[in-house]
Amino acid sequence: MSVWAALFTACSQIDDEDRLIYVAPAEVNRCVLIEDFTGQRCVNCPNATAAITQLQEQYGHDKVIAVAIHSGPFAHRTTMSSPLLPLGTELGDQYYSHWGIEAQPGVLINRTGGPVYDPSQYASAVNNALQQKSAVDIGIDMTLTAKNLYVTVHPQSANSLDARLQVWLTEDNIVDTQYMPDGSVNREYVHNHVLRQSLTADPLGDNIHIDGEGSLYQSYAKYSAEIDDSWKTKDLNIVAFVYTENDGVLQAFTARIPTEELAEK
């Protein structure tokens, strides 16, 4: 099946060719992307997770979008001999290095400013970001077969814009070990929004050009991903966001992938 999801209504289908007429979106509150650089052996990371979860419960999981990037010295990988699930990835380590993360937990909030290492500072940064306006909108169309996910992303802007589009696959409800702040080891810890894969050709996002107001809206980018057998399809999400090096994340969007026509794994 396919689904159409958008942050705000900004276009309408007009014929069987799936052509869309562009309607310039009014400025809207931008969502907040929190990139949480974490690890199962990071004893202080559950404090960051708790702070992020509280913000999501306060503002909504679709407004405060979290991605747990298991990376750095405290992440477990397939190359390590351990009963822990390998949630760490080479991709996560690439981001860890690229953004100059120096300690964990460390988070990026809409990629404005540097990494934030104190969870008590998350709330003010998130609240400030939520108050800002954005003329960028994101629509997503998804189709899932037995093992393959096909995603079409439709970025929109009221103004002509050159930016980067990043598309990630994340997974929720992964039960596995986590080292805790009190020194204990929780073997039933629930890891959510864990980064699994980047769908863009460039791990740092693909360059895109978004036409401005008055143009026929046909901008789109198509991606696909093969679903790993170890991932629970019903707990997978797409996270898409548009950003620039100077302005950070302009808009972000997340959606659960469609599974209605598939038996749950």
Side-chain angles (χ1 to χ4, degrees):
M1 65 169 292
S2 64
V3 297
W4 170 259
L7 285 171
F8 306 94
T9 302
C11 56
S12 58
Q13 293 184 337
I14 58 173
D15 57 33
D16 293 336
E17 297 176 354
D18 292 328
R19 293 176 60 232
L20 299 169
I21 292 180
Y22 181 86
V23 177
E27 285 195 341
V28 294
N29 287 72
R30 71 181 65 186
C31 295
V32 179
L33 176 70
I34 301 181
E35 296 165 83
D36 176 19
F37 291 87
T38 187
Q40 290 158 280
R41 292 187 171 89
C42 172
V43 297
N44 291 317
C45 286
N47 292 331
T49 300
I52 293 169
T53 299
Q54 183 176 7
L55 289 167
Q56 290 184 307
E57 291 174 349
Q58 179 178 355
Y59 295 110
H61 289 250
D62 59 336
K63 296 295 185 290
V64 177
I65 300 168
V67 178
I69 304 175
H70 286 252
S71 55
F74 298 111
H76 180 65
R77 302 166 184 80
T78 55
T79 55
M80 297 179 177
S81 177
S82 169
L84 275 66
L85 288 176
L87 301 183
T89 62
E90 292 183 4
L91 179 65
D93 287 339
Q94 180 177 345
Y95 295 144
Y96 185 93
S97 175
H98 178 82
W99 296 111
I101 305 300
E102 297 179 349
Q104 289 171 289
V107 308
L108 297 175
I109 299 176
N110 264 2
R111 295 187 177 176
T112 56
V116 181
Y117 297 105
D118 183 354
S120 69
Q121 298 177 358
Y122 297 175
S124 60
V126 166
N127 182 66
N128 178 63
L130 286 169
Q131 304 309 310
Q132 298 178 29
K133 300 291 185 178
S134 177
V136 176
D137 192 11
I138 298 174
I140 294 181
D141 183 83
M142 292 185 284
T143 302
L144 181 68
T145 64
K147 290 192 64 174
N148 294 285
L149 174 66
Y150 301 94
V151 180
T152 302
V153 182
H154 305 268
Q156 304 175 58
S157 176
N159 306 302
S160 180
L161 175 66
D162 290 304
R164 282 184 177 267
L165 172 65
Q166 183 75 65
V167 184
W168 284 337
L169 189 66
T170 68
E171 184 178 357
D172 292 328
N173 300 316
I174 302 173
V175 179
D176 199 58
T177 299
Q178 175 65 50
Y179 287 47
M180 302 300 291
D182 62 1
S184 65
V185 178
N186 184 348
R187 304 192 185 282
E188 298 297 323
Y189 190 88
V190 180
H191 298 269
N192 287 314
H193 37 77
V194 174
L195 177 63
R196 286 304 200 181
Q197 185 178 344
S198 174
L199 276 64
T200 52
D202 187 329
L204 294 175
D206 293 338
N207 291 316
I208 59 168
H209 175 76
I210 307 174
D211 291 334
E213 184 175 357
S215 64
L216 180 65
Y217 171 53
Q218 292 179 320
S219 298
Y220 65 89
K222 291 188 175 183
Y223 300 99
S224 63
E226 183 175 347
I227 305 302
D228 189 279
D229 289 337
S230 66
W231 302 343
K232 298 187 296 294
T233 306
K234 64 184 179 64
D235 290 325
L236 295 177
N237 312 280
I238 283 292
V239 173
F241 57 97
V242 173
Y243 77 99
T244 68
E245 298 292 343
N246 292 331
D247 299 319
V249 176
L250 303 176
Q251 193 59 279
F253 176 78
T254 187
R256 186 78 79 183
I257 69 171
T259 60
E260 288 84 352
E261 294 181 356
L262 299 177
E264 292 187 355
K265 295 174 65 175

